[in-house]
Amino acid sequence: MLDLLPDLFDQYPSKLQLLPLAFKPYGAKRLFWGEIVTVKCFEDNSKVKEILAQDGHGKVLVVDGGGSLRRALLGDLIAQSALDNGWQGIVINGCVRDVARLNTFSLGVYALGAMPIKTEKLGQGQINVAVDMGGVMVTPGMMLYADENGIAVSDEMLNFAFLN
C-alpha cells in the first residue's frame, strides 16, 4: 500500500479533514498513521525533544511551530531519539535540518521546509494542547494519516478492512 489517503477519502469523506499546509517529506517512511500527540512552540524545540524521548509506539507528533522558517525544530539527533522510541512520524508546521540524514531514517517526517539553523533551548512550549494547522484544529488523541498525497486527521481510528 503506497497510497492510503485517496482510499480513505473515498471511503470516509465526512470523517477526515485534510491539513492544507504545503508539507514536504523528509523521512524515508512516506506513509504512516497514528494517535496524535501535540506540541506548540515557536523557535524552541525543547518540548519536541522532551516528547520524542518518550515511548511513541502507535503515535505521531504534530508540532505547531507557528510556520516559522527561521529555525529548525527537528534535526537528526532528535529524530534518532524518535526512531529509537517507536514514533510513527512527525508533522511540523515549521522546519527541519539534517535533511540528508533524515532521509535515511525509517521515520515519517513532514515539514514546511529545511533550515540549517537550530533553535535555542529555553524550555518554552506547550504539550498536548489543541493546535491550529492551517485552519484545522488538531487535538491530542485524534488520528493522523499521512502519505505523499497529503496529511489528514480524524476524530477516530478508521478501519482499513475495506482495502483487503
Side-chain angles (χ1 to χ4, degrees):
M1 172 180 22
L2 298 174
D3 294 307
L4 176 63
L5 260 60
D7 292 331
L8 287 180
F9 272 99
D10 289 351
Q11 187 72 20
Y12 303 108
S14 64
K15 292 188 177 190
L16 289 164
Q17 295 181 76
L18 186 68
L19 300 186
L21 300 173
F23 293 107
K24 300 173 188 169
Y26 290 99
K29 188 176 184 181
R30 301 295 170 93
L31 178 133
F32 59 92
W33 63 87
E35 181 185 350
I36 295 173
V37 174
T38 65
V39 167
K40 184 173 185 171
C41 59
F42 187 76
E43 298 183 1
D44 178 349
N45 68 353
S46 302
K47 300 299 181 185
V48 174
K49 181 178 181 181
E50 178 184 326
I51 288 295
L52 292 175
Q54 300 172 16
D55 178 44
H57 286 86
K59 296 180 183 173
V60 174
L61 182 64
V62 174
V63 180
D64 179 4
S68 174
L69 304 178
R70 300 185 309 188
R71 298 283 188 268
L73 295 173
L74 180 76
D76 62 343
L77 299 178
I78 296 175
Q80 182 64 58
S81 175
L83 194 59
D84 293 345
N85 288 299
W87 287 84
Q88 296 301 304
I90 306 159
V91 176
I92 302 174
N93 182 10
C95 289
V96 298
R97 66 189 219 150
D98 303 312
V99 171
R101 288 269 298 138
L102 291 181
N103 279 316
T104 68
F105 291 175
S106 181
L107 179 68
V109 178
Y110 284 91
L112 298 182
M115 162 52 66
I117 302 170
K118 66 181 179 178
T119 70
E120 292 187 54
K121 299 226 184 343
L122 304 173
Q124 298 176 348
Q126 299 170 288
I127 296 171
N128 276 337
V129 296
V131 296
D132 183 331
M133 299 294 278
V136 176
M137 290 308 295
V138 177
T139 57
M142 291 177 86
M143 294 297 294
L144 182 140
Y145 304 91
D147 69 15
E148 291 182 273
N149 295 286
I151 300 170
V153 294
S154 174
D155 289 330
E156 62 192 74
M157 175 68 173
L158 301 177
N159 186 333
F160 295 3
F162 71 93
L163 294 173
N164 294 331

